[in-house]
């Protein structure tokens, strides 16, 4: 050692090398501890457990990091079932990383609490206009009027004809952009009015939007010029910052609207904001609506009877020898879920008409108990694999599950009441008002078959995929027998409902041994004579719905609109029946029932029911606000159950 206690040069080098070695040992130790810590506890050896016990500081730091990452992940989750656009899991972010986005990421999404809050604020005149750079159409689904929104980057459910003046819009229930891309906007479908090609409305990077609607730039800039406050919710503003007209940049800073931003990330407008809240939009809007004393409407699920329910009943019947179906009263449904779409009498009749049902139990309690099973001499009960809760958040099948008298069947993939109601509500938006009621739909050529991947876009309304096995499961498989009266009926049978059941029941009563064949028209044919966005159910969905009816023996999938001599002779038809609804002429103006009338085998049948598909849609419209509010508490209960299940799962690991 040098004089004065200082280290010599060689000693300093040795000390530095020792420090480096110590740091490397510490890094190796941390890596070792981290590797062991990431293992499930059950897979750690005694030696590895000893290493963790001797490295408490490192373990505590790893736990702190894990909790911090988990908190960040939870904050960044969006309430919608779609990713955001520029966040860590956003669409553009994922695409830049080379990851693909499923179509369902967008098409399965529903309006969030924030979407519904904005629609409510607009209704109360607290929000004047909405500017969105998203293409998902969720603001329209929330009920926001078309005039009150500017979708600056387009809408994936709208295609337009730019050859018509003014531009003619087609609002679809499917994604129109599957075949379009940058500078390639033609969708492959044609305008039924002028025959020109339709194009999407999407504005891609590097493009300048030229369409008046749905971009609605004029309304956006006018609203911005009059605004006192601009509230930015969830937007990164990396694109919107480039539009000075939206921020009134031509005005002196003191005369510009006050800017408030809600976002988990930094935005380029943060420094100009009067207030920046780092939080989730839903959390902030929930607090805001509570402060204003406004109830947030719900975009919610609805109760109906569809082929998905029929499939569950088919599975349930296969589990035993006799199937009794309990049907709740209107009062019970309203108490636990909200107002039903169908009345209890309509539901009783619909369920009884399903061919796998042996008996119904009217007025069944919402909570299934052992007493109920014993009352009807049932060995067990069956339900789908979804969550069913009472008004106070309890499992409605808890008692029978505990007793071992519960069975479960699979839901039918690709169908939900929410999806069907969404299709109905889409037809009721204001964007249909520009379609004249007296349009000549007979000029509507078959453009639907030119959709993406060669199938009808109407078939793509839902993710349901028809298979021969599914048809076999639903079909009766019975051939007409000697002495049978073969009766033919035809139509759309859309949203198969009690009006159809009443009609088919009356037809069934016309003969001692009836064999009813139902002819279902293809989707494009139904659209020709029904217009708008009909049919709501595609041909495959309608097929299963009709096959599930106990009065129907056979279904002709894609039956010709005109009942021809060949059809009558092929099926040896004895009688052709039609309800009291209007018979629309064929494409050439002829009567589609001309041949059976000539043979004297045509008969009109009065079902005694006035329920039609149109009336069901009108019910949805009329009671929409009630329907949207009905499950507010129910959703909170379901989320609480799911959270509890997640916690239990985490504790197991």
């Amino acid at each position: 050692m040098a004089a004065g206690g200082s280290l010599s040069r060689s000693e300093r080098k040795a000390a530095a090398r020792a420090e480096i070695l110590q740091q490397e040992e510490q890094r190796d130790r941390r890596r070792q501890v981290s590797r062991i810590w990431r293992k499930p506890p059950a897979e750690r050896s005694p030696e590895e457990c000893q290493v963790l016990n001797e490295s408490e500081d490192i373990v505590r730091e790893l736990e702190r990091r894990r909790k911090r990452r988990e908190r960040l992940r939870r904050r960044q989750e969006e309430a919608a079932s779609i990713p955001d656009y520029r966040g860590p899991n956003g669409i553009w972010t994922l695409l830049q990383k080379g990851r693909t986005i499923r179509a369902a990421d967008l098409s399965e999404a529903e309006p969030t609490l924030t979407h519904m809050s904005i629609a409510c604020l607009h209704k109360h005149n607290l929000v004047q206009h909405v500017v969105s750079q998203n293409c998902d159409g969720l603001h329209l689904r929330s009920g926001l009027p078309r005039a009150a929104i500017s979708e600056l980057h387009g809408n994936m459910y709208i295609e337009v004809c730019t050859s018509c003046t003014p531009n003619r819009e087609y609002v679809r229930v499917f994604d129109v952009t599957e075949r379009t891309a940058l500078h390639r906007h033609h969708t492959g479908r044609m305008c039924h009015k002028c025959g020109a090609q339709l194009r999407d409305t999407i504005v891609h990077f590097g493009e300048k939007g030229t369409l008046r609607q749905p971009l609605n730039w004029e309304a956006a800039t006018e609203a911005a010029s009059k605004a006192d406050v601009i509230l930015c919710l969830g937007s990164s503003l990396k694109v919107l910052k480039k539009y000075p007209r939206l921020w009134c940049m031509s005005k002196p800073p003191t005369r510009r609207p006050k800017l408030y931003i809600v976002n988990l990330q930094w935005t380029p407008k943060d420094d100009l904001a009067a207030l920046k809240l780092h939080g989730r939009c839903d959390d902030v809007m929930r607090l805001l609506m509570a402060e204003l004393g406004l109830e947030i409407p719900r975009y919610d699920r609805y109760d109906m009877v569809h082929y998905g329910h029929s499939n569950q009943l088919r599975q349930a019947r296969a589990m035993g020898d006799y199937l009794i179906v309990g049907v709740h009263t209107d009062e019970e449904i309203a108490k636990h879920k909200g107002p039903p779409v169908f009345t209890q009498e309509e539901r009783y009749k619909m369920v009884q008409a399903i061919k796998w049902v042996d008996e119904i139990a009217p007025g069944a309690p919402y909570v299934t108990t052992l007493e109920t099973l014993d009352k009807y001499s049932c060995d067990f009960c069956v339900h789908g694999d979804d969550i069913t809760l009472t008004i106070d958040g309890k499992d409605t099948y808890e008692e029978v599950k505990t007793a071992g008298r519960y069975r479960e069947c699979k839901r039918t993939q690709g169908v939900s009441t929410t999806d069907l109601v969404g299709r109905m509500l889409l037809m009721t938006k204001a964007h249909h008002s520009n379609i004249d009621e007296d349009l000549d739909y007979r000029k509507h050529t078959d453009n639907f078959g030119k959709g993406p991947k060669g199938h009808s876009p109407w078939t793509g309304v839902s993710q349901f995929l028809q298979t021969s096995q599914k048809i076999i499961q639903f079909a009766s498989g019975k051939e007409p027998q000697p002495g049978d009266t073969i009766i033919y009926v035809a139509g759309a049978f859309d949203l198969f409902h009690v009006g159809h059941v009443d009609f088919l029941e009356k037809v069934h009563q016309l003969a001692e041994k009836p064999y009813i064949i139902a002819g279902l028209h293809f989707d494009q044919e139904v659209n020709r004579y029904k217009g708008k966005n009909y049919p709501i159910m595609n041909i495959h969905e309608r097929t299963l719905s009709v096959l599930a009816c106990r009065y129907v023996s056979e279904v002709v999938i894609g039956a010709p609109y005109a009942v021809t001599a060949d059809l009558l002779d092929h099926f040896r038809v004895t009688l052709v029946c039609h309800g009291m609804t209007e018979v629309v002429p064929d494409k050439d103006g002829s009567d589609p029932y001309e041949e059976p009338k000539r043979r004297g085998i045509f008969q009109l049948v009065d079902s005694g029911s006035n329920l039609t598909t149109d009336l069901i849609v009108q019910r949805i419209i009329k009671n929409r606000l009630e329907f949207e509010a009905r499950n507010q508490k129910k959703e909170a209960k379901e989320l609480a159950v799911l959270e509890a299940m997640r916690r239990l799962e985490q504790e197991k690991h």
Side-chain angles (χ1 to χ4, degrees):
M1 181 177 290
S6 61
L7 296 175
S8 66
R9 183 177 181 182
S10 60
E11 290 172 331
R12 288 197 299 273
K13 288 183 178 180
R17 284 196 297 270
E19 184 177 357
I20 292 172
L21 288 173
Q22 184 180 12
Q23 291 174 351
E24 289 179 351
E25 289 175 358
Q26 290 175 347
R27 282 196 294 269
D28 290 342
R29 182 72 170 183
R30 281 196 295 270
R31 282 195 289 266
Q32 181 189 23
V33 172
S34 177
R35 178 180 56 78
I36 297 172
W37 177 78
R38 288 196 298 269
K39 283 186 176 183
E43 296 181 11
R44 297 170 187 164
S45 67
E47 293 78 10
E48 290 175 331
C49 292
Q50 181 64 29
V51 171
L52 294 181
N53 292 334
E54 294 173 353
S55 309
E56 293 182 355
D57 292 344
I58 299 176
V59 171
R60 280 197 296 270
E61 177 61 25
L62 290 171
E63 286 288 348
R64 281 196 296 270
R65 291 181 181 179
R66 182 190 65 78
K67 291 178 181 179
R68 189 163 58 245
R69 286 195 299 268
E70 182 64 22
R71 284 196 301 270
L72 179 61
R73 183 189 65 79
R74 286 199 300 265
R75 287 202 308 269
Q76 290 176 338
E77 286 180 344
E78 292 294 334
S81 58
I82 59 172
D84 60 10
Y85 283 78
R86 297 188 180 278
N89 295 312
I91 289 176
W92 307 139
T93 307
L94 294 178
L95 289 175
Q96 288 170 358
K97 293 180 180 179
R99 294 171 59 183
T100 58
I101 304 297
R102 297 183 305 114
D105 290 336
L106 289 173
S107 61
E108 292 175 0
E110 293 181 354
T112 66
L113 181 146
T114 297
H115 288 100
M116 302 308 297
S117 297
I118 292 172
C120 180
L121 291 172
H122 178 268
K123 179 182 176 182
H124 287 84
N125 208 33
L126 295 173
V127 167
Q128 303 302 317
H129 198 79
V130 174
V131 175
S132 174
Q133 64 191 79
N134 294 344
C135 309
D136 48 37
L138 293 182
H139 281 295
L140 289 179
R141 294 192 212 179
S142 73
L144 197 68
R146 285 291 299 276
I149 181 172
S150 297
E151 297 176 292
L152 301 185
H153 294 164
N155 187 312
M156 59 187 283
Y157 297 103
I158 297 177
E159 54 188 339
V160 299
C161 174
T162 54
S163 296
C164 288
T165 306
N167 289 354
R168 185 175 298 276
E169 285 190 353
Y170 291 77
V171 182
R172 305 299 195 189
V173 290
F174 52 87
D175 180 1
V176 305
T177 67
E178 289 185 329
R179 287 174 35 174
T180 65
L182 179 67
H183 303 311
R184 296 204 320 269
H185 292 279
H186 288 148
T187 63
R189 287 172 289 273
M190 317 297 284
C191 175
H192 76 270
K193 191 68 175 178
C194 71
Q197 291 195 62
L198 299 180
R199 58 154 293 170
D200 68 14
T201 62
I202 303 301
V203 180
H204 294 276
F205 289 122
E207 294 181 335
K208 183 177 180 180
T210 57
L211 295 173
R212 184 174 180 181
Q213 290 289 352
L215 278 56
N216 204 10
W217 264 108
E218 184 178 347
T221 52
E222 181 181 357
S225 67
K226 298 177 180 178
D228 300 313
V229 170
I230 295 178
L231 176 60
C232 297
L233 297 169
S235 173
S236 70
L237 301 181
K238 293 179 180 179
V239 174
L240 291 181
K241 70 172 184 178
K242 301 176 182 178
Y243 304 134
R245 289 180 293 171
L246 295 179
W247 312 102
C248 304
M249 299 304 290
S250 59
K251 294 182 179 180
T254 55
R255 296 183 56 193
R256 295 172 191 164
K258 289 184 178 180
L259 178 61
Y260 295 85
I261 299 174
V262 180
N263 203 307
L264 291 168
Q265 307 174 75
W266 170 89
T267 80
K269 290 287 185 179
D270 284 359
D271 294 339
L272 301 177
L275 177 66
K276 166 67 183 296
L277 295 176
H278 292 271
R280 295 177 70 249
C281 295
D282 281 4
D283 294 339
V284 173
M285 293 304 291
R286 186 180 288 107
L287 293 172
L288 174 62
M289 298 295 280
E291 181 68 22
L292 294 173
L294 297 175
E295 184 176 353
I296 303 171
R298 295 299 304 167
Y299 183 88
D300 220 347
R301 299 178 183 272
Y302 302 77
D303 76 298
M304 294 175 64
V305 181
H306 52 70
Y307 66 92
H309 300 131
S310 300
N311 192 36
Q312 289 187 16
L313 296 177
R314 178 190 64 80
Q315 295 177 68
R317 183 63 173 79
M319 296 179 186
D321 303 313
Y322 193 86
L323 179 62
I324 302 174
V325 180
V327 184
H328 308 313
T329 63
D330 290 346
E331 183 180 2
E332 280 282 89
I333 292 178
K335 176 183 176 182
H336 294 279
K337 296 176 66 178
V341 176
F342 294 121
T343 68
Q344 62 194 41
E345 295 301 326
E346 290 170 343
R347 293 196 305 279
Y348 295 159
K349 184 169 287 189
M350 281 291 294
V351 175
Q352 187 65 72
I354 296 173
K355 61 186 178 184
W356 297 287
V357 177
D358 295 299
E359 181 184 342
I360 66 168
Y366 197 75
V367 177
T368 303
T369 63
L370 294 174
E371 181 182 357
T372 304
L373 295 185
D374 293 339
K375 176 182 177 181
Y376 292 98
S377 302
C378 294
D379 296 311
F380 56 86
C381 72
V382 181
H383 191 263
D385 53 358
D386 52 336
I387 300 174
T388 308
L389 304 173
T390 64
I391 192 171
D392 54 357
K394 295 181 180 178
D395 184 350
T396 57
Y397 293 94
E398 181 179 3
E399 182 177 327
V400 293
K401 285 179 179 178
T402 303
R405 295 174 67 180
Y406 175 83
R407 304 288 187 275
E408 202 165 81
C409 61
K410 293 293 183 182
R411 293 186 61 199
T412 303
Q413 294 297 317
V415 62
S416 70
T417 304
T418 303
D419 178 37
L420 296 177
V421 172
R423 304 180 204 179
M424 286 184 269
L425 289 178
L426 191 61
M427 295 194 304
T428 68
K429 302 289 185 181
H431 46 246
H432 285 289
S433 61
N434 67 337
I435 298 180
D436 299 330
E437 293 297 325
D438 59 349
L439 278 180
D440 185 7
Y441 280 99
R442 287 189 293 273
K443 294 181 180 178
H444 189 10
T445 56
D446 182 9
N447 299 317
F448 298 104
K450 301 175 183 177
K453 302 177 184 176
H455 60 67
S456 163
W458 292 104
T459 302
V461 163
S462 78
Q463 298 300 313
F464 171 74
L465 297 176
Q466 183 69 283
T467 63
S468 58
Q469 183 61 32
K470 186 64 65 182
I471 294 177
I472 291 171
Q473 290 171 344
F474 272 62
S476 66
K478 296 179 181 178
E479 296 285 340
Q481 300 300 312
D484 284 354
T485 300
I486 301 176
I487 307 173
Y488 181 77
V489 298
F493 292 97
D494 195 15
L495 279 181
F496 194 77
H497 52 73
V498 72
H500 297 132
V501 170
D502 285 337
F503 167 70
L504 291 170
E505 184 180 19
K506 287 291 180 64
V507 171
H508 195 267
Q509 294 170 353
L510 294 176
E512 184 177 347
K513 295 177 61 181
Y515 187 93
I516 298 177
I517 301 174
L520 269 62
H521 302 144
F522 275 131
D523 300 329
Q524 57 267 36
E525 190 66 60
V526 176
N527 186 258
R528 179 187 68 83
Y529 62 79
K530 289 281 288 182
K532 296 183 180 179
N533 281 342
Y534 287 111
I536 293 168
M537 282 183 165
N538 62 53
I539 183 66
H540 305 303
E541 296 170 321
R542 292 184 283 122
T543 297
L544 296 188
S545 298
V546 176
L547 280 174
C549 180
R550 66 173 66 250
Y551 303 119
V552 175
S553 302
E554 182 62 282
V555 167
V556 179
I557 304 172
Y561 187 66
V563 182
T564 62
D566 288 342
L567 184 148
L568 296 175
D569 294 340
H570 177 80
F571 291 107
R572 303 193 301 278
V573 174
T574 309
L575 183 65
V576 176
C577 295
H578 188 272
M580 305 306 291
T581 56
E582 177 190 5
V583 177
V584 177
D586 203 350
K587 296 176 183 178
D588 59 2
S590 62
D591 181 354
Y593 291 104
E594 181 180 347
E595 179 61 23
K597 287 179 180 178
R598 188 187 67 78
R599 297 189 182 192
I601 60 172
F602 178 77
Q603 183 173 337
L604 286 174
V605 176
D606 187 354
S607 68
S609 172
N610 63 353
L611 185 63
T612 64
T613 303
D614 289 328
L615 286 176
I616 294 174
V617 174
Q618 289 173 27
R619 285 185 186 181
I620 297 294
I621 302 167
K622 180 180 178 181
N623 299 313
R624 177 176 180 179
L625 292 179
E626 250 190 305
F627 286 133
E628 288 175 342
R630 70 179 212 168
N631 278 355
Q632 192 165 12
K633 294 181 180 178
K634 177 175 179 286
E635 184 189 41
K637 292 181 297 186
E638 290 177 349
L639 290 175
V641 170
L642 289 173
E643 181 61 28
M645 292 169 64
R646 279 196 291 265
R647 288 176 181 172
L648 287 173
E649 190 67 24
Q650 290 174 356
E651 289 175 2
K652 290 179 182 178
H653 296 289

